[in-house]
Amino acid sequence: MLRRIACLGFLLLLLAPSVRGQSTAPSATTALVGPTVLNPADSTVIEDATIVMNGPTITALGPSDEINVPSEATVRALPDKYVIPGLIDGHVHFFQSGGLYTRPDILDLRSKRPYSTELRRIKQRLPDTFRRYLRSGVTGVVDVGGPMWNLQVRARADTTAMAPSVVTAGPLISSVSRPRLDTGDPPILKITSPQAARAEVQEQVEAGVDLIKIWYITTGGSPADYRPVVEATVDEAHAANKRVAVHATELETARAAIEAGADILVHSVFNKPVDDTFVQLLQENDVLYIPTLMVQERYRETFAQQLDLTLPEHRIGQKDVIRSLTELRTLPDSLVPRGLRQRIASAPSLPADTTALRNLKRLHDAGVAIAAGTDAGNIGTPHGPALFREFALMQAAGLTPREILTTATAGGARLMDRSDDLGQLEAGRQADLVVLNKNPLNDITHTRSIHRVVKRGRIFAPDSLVPRTPEEVVLQAHNAYNTHDATAFLDAFAPNLKVYEHPNTLVTTGLDTIAAQYRPLLENATTLHSQFHYHTTVGNTVMAHESIYGLPDRDRPLSQVFLYQVTNGAIDRAWILQK
């Protein structure tokens, strides 16, 4: 009861007038005429197709010469486009931001930013987080564990037009405690007995969770030590018709979880190659496997300050979250553990961890059901566009574009327990789909070429979900500079860029000139870092005061004030006001 009361303040925020009363579906009939429709799960390809949607439902779909378009329908011609089912990220955590300050149990920076402040910001920007998922083509997500206010996140998504569908678990039933994450509504509960586990399952089921989650951690012990609690949790959940998802990243722990009856493994086996017995165990028990290949990579990159974000992450990710990931380099030594400071200073090359990739390939080839998931919200894994990096790693594991898309459509729908209305495109299903400019079956990166996103029949242009505002563009350039990403940095500038010394002395013209200067600087940088002291936006201009550290052949930081003009989503004019 106390945990539910702790959610009340957030519930009142959810019910504020600014977020109430939003319709979740249009009433008009719309026809999408001319695209190629792709159903990855069964390899169906329909060229010159027509999709008729009435409200939130697909009412007809097939070759255009076989579909009657109602006379009252709004027709949208989409020749040379490709339509896929809406993507599903099968592993996210809404109580985490993806930023540097979101896991004080792993990296304790509460003296820099109190954890209560971090949570308040996360809750305040939930509508923005929802929109960034849709902007990435992600129309459904599964939150696999967090505070009880996860249920209010689901409720808010259900009543918000610009939001993905949300399935959620409650607090993790865990073998270990995480007191630094407990502000009165803990996301992780240390449960030490089968009786306590059954009581917790009953409380979560009564509250309305979709899944039960176990955090099966065996540091310094054996999987057998906690197995009675796992078995009791699974038994009680199944009695209530709830599936059980388990965090078990070591082979023997994962094996014990499946033997105890778990339905879903929410991570790869990371520590060693899976064996024949384990593969057979997953096959026989019809277990769903979520690889989450990128999350460990991003922790390593952030802690070594070698973050390698994709261009969509720079463009679509929340800019303040991404900015925080580069702050380890500038925090006082007293806040940063010595080991991390040494890793940053030595700037080691980060070897790829291929065990999880090989395990994914083996399990997929054996017919084990796979659902794509990112573990978004963890440090370095931003909400929304992270799925594009996960796709790249799945491809590196050996999956084809069609196989990858199947895991993020039909696989995700099975994880959400909505295989009857999500994951494929056909009449009678929910109208969640993504319209692409390029064929994703030819190249998985074409999933980034989003023309429109359709959620429950509502059609959204990308810029209506996450506008390319002047502040978004300038902060993209700033973050890309600090992650030494020349491509993402230059992406923020227009081809006709002109740079002046105030008031009107032209010093540089053309994107190519800027590229010749900045690409080698950023690609060879190790300690280069820009710090904004302030920035303010007026109309389509942004003024920023920054200090740049680590410039070659310069002992002191460079302090300067810039004025940036943004036109049509790119910086086309810049003035150096002060050096």
Side-chain angles (χ1 to χ4, degrees):
M1 176 61 75
L2 289 178
R3 281 160 45 206
R4 295 199 184 104
I5 291 173
C7 299
L8 181 59
F10 184 43
L11 177 58
L12 293 175
L13 173 64
L14 294 175
L15 297 178
S18 62
V19 299
R20 294 182 68 183
Q22 297 192 60
S23 173
T24 58
S27 58
T29 299
T30 303
L32 309 180
V33 178
T36 297
V37 168
L38 309 174
N39 265 319
D42 61 9
S43 301
T44 299
V45 176
I46 305 175
E47 297 181 349
D48 188 17
T50 290
I51 305 170
V52 180
M53 303 178 296
N54 184 263
T57 305
I58 298 172
T59 55
L61 187 153
S64 291
D65 58 5
E66 299 178 8
I67 300 296
N68 293 320
V69 177
S71 59
E72 72 275 11
T74 299
V75 175
R76 292 177 178 257
L78 296 173
D80 304 319
K81 304 299 182 186
Y82 299 85
V83 178
I84 61 173
L87 301 174
I88 297 170
D89 190 334
H91 190 143
V92 311
H93 293 284
F94 281 113
F95 82 96
Q96 298 173 174
S97 67
L100 189 65
Y101 306 97
T102 206
R103 287 295 299 269
D105 59 320
I106 295 174
L107 178 61
D108 190 0
L109 298 173
R110 289 175 295 172
S111 60
K112 170 69 173 178
R113 179 183 296 175
Y115 187 52
S116 58
T117 301
E118 172 75 359
L119 288 178
R120 176 176 52 79
R121 293 181 180 182
I122 288 170
K123 294 174 182 179
Q124 288 175 338
R125 62 171 168 248
L126 266 175
D128 179 75
T129 302
F130 290 158
R131 290 193 297 270
R132 290 176 196 267
Y133 272 109
L134 287 191
R135 172 61 183 85
S136 305
V138 178
T139 59
V141 299
V142 180
D143 187 317
V144 292
M148 290 298 286
W149 57 260
N150 265 6
L151 297 172
Q152 311 311 328
V153 175
R154 184 184 66 189
R156 188 169 194 172
D158 286 345
T159 57
T160 301
M162 292 184 179
S165 299
V166 174
V167 165
T168 188
L172 283 59
I173 294 173
S174 173
S175 54
V176 297
S177 63
R178 289 292 184 265
R180 292 175 185 171
L181 301 178
D182 186 356
T183 61
D185 184 10
I188 297 171
L189 300 172
K190 184 177 182 180
I191 302 294
T192 59
S193 72
Q195 295 78 12
R198 290 182 183 276
E200 179 60 29
V201 170
Q202 291 168 5
E203 182 174 348
Q204 292 192 25
V205 169
E206 180 184 352
V209 301
D210 299 300
L211 299 166
I212 299 296
K213 170 74 174 291
I214 300 173
W215 217 34
Y216 203 169
I217 308 295
T218 59
T219 303
S222 163
D225 297 339
Y226 200 62
R227 183 157 170 174
V229 175
V230 174
E231 290 175 342
T233 301
V234 171
D235 182 65
E236 195 68 29
H238 285 175
N241 199 30
K242 297 294 182 183
R243 294 170 299 160
V244 178
V246 180
H247 170 119
T249 59
E250 297 178 346
L251 179 58
E252 294 309 317
T253 309
R255 191 193 315 275
I258 303 307
E259 289 174 348
D263 306 286
I264 303 158
L265 290 177
V266 301
H267 289 290
S268 289
V269 171
F270 288 107
N271 69 323
K272 62 177 67 174
V274 297
D275 54 42
D276 292 341
T277 303
F278 183 78
V279 174
Q280 184 177 357
L281 188 65
L282 268 63
Q283 293 170 326
E284 292 176 348
N285 290 276
D286 200 21
V287 172
L288 196 53
Y289 186 87
I290 309 173
T292 62
L293 300 172
M294 69 179 293
V295 64
Q296 289 195 352
E297 170 189 78
R298 287 299 173 75
Y299 270 106
R300 293 196 305 270
E301 290 178 356
T302 302
F303 290 164
Q305 289 294 273
Q306 296 182 53
L307 198 61
D308 186 15
L309 299 174
T310 64
L311 181 57
E313 287 174 305
H314 274 291
R315 276 184 149 248
I316 305 171
Q318 290 167 325
K319 303 302 180 289
D320 58 334
V321 169
I322 293 174
R323 181 175 67 243
S324 76
L325 297 173
T326 67
E327 292 176 0
L328 264 181
R329 194 179 296 278
T330 59
L331 288 176
D333 286 341
S334 59
L335 296 181
V336 181
R338 180 177 299 178
L340 286 186
R341 184 63 78 203
Q342 290 172 343
R343 289 173 68 178
I344 295 168
S346 61
S349 59
L350 295 172
D353 182 1
T354 60
T355 301
L357 274 65
R358 293 195 303 270
N359 286 341
L360 170 60
K361 176 63 173 172
R362 182 171 183 188
L363 292 171
H364 181 272
D365 289 352
V368 172
I370 309 294
T374 63
D375 214 351
N378 275 277
I379 294 175
T381 305
H383 287 291
L387 202 54
F388 298 123
R389 176 56 182 163
E390 188 72 16
F391 285 172
L393 290 171
M394 296 176 86
Q395 184 173 49
L399 275 64
T400 68
R402 186 194 67 79
E403 291 167 343
I404 295 168
L405 286 171
T406 298
T407 71
T409 53
R414 176 181 165 182
L415 178 62
M416 296 181 76
D417 199 23
R418 294 188 60 179
S419 293
D420 58 339
D421 71 335
L422 297 178
Q424 296 197 68
L425 299 176
E426 59 186 22
R429 290 177 178 262
Q430 184 165 297
D432 286 7
L433 51 93
V434 186
V435 182
L436 301 172
N437 292 313
K438 300 177 182 179
N439 189 344
L441 298 183
N442 295 337
D443 186 337
I444 195 61
T445 64
H446 291 170
T447 52
R448 308 174 182 185
S449 67
I450 295 174
H451 174 69
R452 294 291 185 270
V453 177
V454 181
K455 177 61 184 171
R456 290 177 56 84
R458 288 188 178 273
I459 301 173
F460 298 104
D463 283 352
S464 72
L465 294 164
V466 181
R468 293 283 288 170
T469 65
E471 184 177 39
E472 282 274 317
V473 174
V474 170
L475 291 181
Q476 174 189 321
H478 178 66
N479 289 337
Y481 188 94
N482 283 340
T483 57
H484 309 155
D485 189 327
T487 298
F489 176 77
L490 296 170
D491 176 73
F493 294 89
N496 63 338
L497 171 69
K498 293 183 179 180
V499 181
Y500 299 87
E501 286 190 357
H502 185 72
N504 57 6
T505 302
L506 184 64
V507 293
T508 303
T509 182
L511 184 60
D512 290 342
T513 304
I514 293 292
Q517 176 184 355
Y518 279 91
R519 188 173 291 279
L521 173 69
L522 294 174
E523 290 178 348
N524 296 316
T526 56
T527 61
L528 192 64
H529 188 87
S530 169
Q531 182 178 359
F532 272 11
H533 300 291
Y534 72 83
H535 66 275
T536 186
T537 304
V538 178
N540 70 331
T541 60
V542 177
M543 179 182 289
H545 176 205
E546 65 177 337
S547 293
I548 302 176
Y549 302 82
L551 284 167
D553 303 320
R554 188 180 180 94
D555 296 330
R556 301 176 60 186
L558 172 64
S559 180
Q560 57 189 10
V561 177
F562 260 97
L563 185 67
Y564 300 96
Q565 174 183 290
V566 178
T567 305
N568 296 325
I571 300 168
D572 62 351
R573 297 290 184 273
W575 289 266
I576 306 171
L577 302 183
Q578 178 183 336
K579 275 191 176 182

